[in-house]
Amino acid sequence: MLALVLDDAEMNNLVMVASLRPLAGCRPHDFTVPADALAFAQARASEIGIVITDYDMPGMDGIAFIRAVRRIPGLANVPAIMVTSHDQRSLRREALEAGATDFLTKPADAVEIRARVTNLLALSEAHRLQRDHAAQLAREVATAVALVEEREREIVSTLMRAAEHRDSDTGDHIARVSAYVGLIAEAMRMTPAETRQMSLAATMHDVGKIAVPDAILLKPGALTPEERREMEQHAERGRRILSGSASPVMRLAAEIAGSHHERWDGTGYPQGLTGEAIPLSGRMVAVADVFDALTTERPYKQAWSPERARAYLQENAGSHFDPEVVAAFLSRWEQVQTFLALGRDGAPMPDAA
């Protein structure tokens, strides 16, 4: 490891370097100008195992130098020795607060220097090994999480392919809803991980429709009251299909399936929840789902223009929809229009997750 030595007196540096050279694995580099030492520290931070600095120096004293070293990425915990002829308690306290690890009092003999530095280099190496081990664990955890997420996506994809056999529009619909929910999550400042999870879970919002008879699901005209009641069962059925899993994304998907037809004013189904009693996930998918339904041609209706659908969301914010979610969705209007254009051109929808 490198030992950075700083003293404005060249002779003091020669003594310090001569004392350190016998130490195995210790390569001293000395400087007389603090700015040069800091430039070296920034360039070789990963190699530095200890910093040794004099206190009395023109321009920048040892305390200021240690503070500057501590601000360099990778050197926040490297051992730092301050060498001084002063023995004031207040000075040592200030040095400790600045980040000094130990002190050497002038004149220090070679034996004491090597003993102090040997111990602190061992501490530095232990800290380096701990940091490397923590980084390795973080990489392993990230790999494991990515594997779990990939397996969850495979499960969701398989489930959604089964749903597509019931409704030819389902695949495109769930892709668009997933993309819109991703935009809403980003606008509401959810973390990237939360956004990915929300977007993936949203793809399963209508999974309960696999239990709806074809005569109702594919009917080109208006539904009778009895057929409407049967169709509305898909929310609770979807929740039951997805519930009971230990997977966070499946639990979120169950929440969405059971709540995305609730309305802000309490007139929705299946529970008639009101306002913030409706899970946020359900409120987000409600906006995305209705917007896509309005702008898509269905057997029983023509597609609305994006502007007309936008106006509908604004008019029904506070009754059907959570106003905050509507505002978040409309704040990403340019991206919404891009998604719509891609869909019209027959191109695959972007992966919002």
Side-chain angles (χ1 to χ4, degrees):
M1 284 186 286
L2 298 181
L4 189 158
V5 177
L6 172 64
D7 195 309
D8 61 310
E10 183 68 36
M11 183 58 66
N12 290 339
N13 279 346
L14 291 174
V15 171
M16 184 64 68
V17 168
S19 300
L20 295 177
R21 281 211 173 103
L23 295 179
C26 179
R27 291 171 291 145
H29 286 255
D30 62 294
F31 301 88
T32 56
V33 179
D36 294 341
L38 286 175
F40 179 84
Q42 290 175 326
R44 309 283 291 274
S46 63
E47 303 172 67
I48 293 175
I50 191 166
V51 172
I52 304 171
T53 178
D54 187 33
Y55 170 66
D56 285 316
M57 294 182 293
M60 175 182 281
D61 64 24
I63 292 176
F65 179 76
I66 290 174
R67 286 198 182 99
V69 166
R70 292 297 184 220
R71 290 193 291 268
I72 297 174
L75 297 182
N77 297 301
V78 68
I81 296 177
M82 196 174 78
V83 184
T84 177
S85 57
H86 301 282
D87 196 27
Q88 299 100 323
R89 186 183 298 268
S90 60
L91 175 63
R92 295 200 171 215
R93 185 183 301 114
E94 185 180 1
L96 289 170
E97 291 173 351
T101 311
D102 201 353
F103 300 90
L104 280 170
T105 303
K106 293 181 179 180
D109 62 48
V111 173
E112 182 183 11
I113 291 172
R114 284 195 288 270
R116 298 282 184 95
V117 171
T118 296
N119 291 336
L120 291 177
L121 283 176
L123 177 65
S124 185
E125 179 63 16
H127 182 269
R128 192 183 302 272
L129 291 173
Q130 183 182 42
R131 183 185 62 198
D132 292 345
H133 182 60
Q136 178 62 28
L137 286 177
R139 288 192 293 270
E140 291 175 1
V141 169
T143 299
V145 169
L147 180 60
V148 170
E149 288 183 350
E150 182 57 31
R151 287 177 176 171
E152 286 182 332
R153 287 183 180 278
E154 289 178 2
I155 293 170
V156 171
S157 178
T158 300
L159 191 59
M160 291 303 96
R161 281 199 299 272
E164 286 180 45
H165 287 292
R166 303 294 320 288
D167 184 352
S168 61
D169 186 58
T170 297
D172 293 336
H173 172 66
I174 63 177
R176 289 189 297 267
V177 169
S178 175
Y180 295 151
V181 167
L183 292 181
I184 294 170
E186 290 174 355
M188 298 186 76
R189 301 186 182 281
M190 291 187 175
T191 67
E194 290 169 337
T195 297
R196 289 194 301 272
Q197 189 175 77
M198 190 69 71
S199 183
L200 179 59
T203 64
M204 294 175 273
H205 68 282
D206 272 343
V207 70
K209 285 185 177 180
I210 62 176
V212 177
D214 285 348
I216 297 175
L217 185 66
L218 305 177
K219 185 175 180 178
L223 300 180
T224 66
E226 183 178 343
E227 290 170 336
R228 170 59 60 188
R229 285 191 293 273
E230 175 62 27
M231 176 65 84
E232 290 179 355
Q233 292 296 315
H234 83 273
E236 178 57 25
R237 287 169 178 165
R239 186 195 66 76
R240 289 202 301 267
I241 289 170
L242 298 168
S243 63
S245 172
S247 162
V249 73
M250 287 299 180
R251 291 200 298 270
L252 182 60
E255 179 181 85
I256 289 171
S259 64
H260 72 286
H261 282 294
E262 300 288 357
R263 294 179 177 235
W264 188 253
D265 62 7
T267 62
Y269 65 87
Q271 298 184 69
L273 300 177
T274 303
E276 293 186 359
I278 306 167
L280 177 59
S281 61
R283 287 179 264 150
M284 293 167 65
V285 173
V287 170
D289 187 32
V290 170
F291 180 81
D292 186 67
L294 293 175
T295 54
T296 305
E297 184 175 348
R298 296 292 174 87
Y300 52 86
K301 66 175 252 326
Q302 294 295 312
W304 287 19
S305 70
E307 291 71 25
R308 184 183 176 191
R310 173 181 178 142
Y312 180 87
L313 294 182
Q314 291 172 317
E315 291 165 5
N316 288 274
S319 56
H320 188 160
F321 309 111
D322 178 348
E324 184 179 356
V325 174
V326 171
F329 180 67
L330 297 184
S331 74
R332 300 303 178 96
W333 187 245
E334 284 190 18
Q335 291 164 278
V336 171
Q337 290 177 305
T338 299
F339 288 174
L340 285 167
L342 286 171
R344 290 193 193 100
D345 294 340
M349 289 297 295
D351 183 2

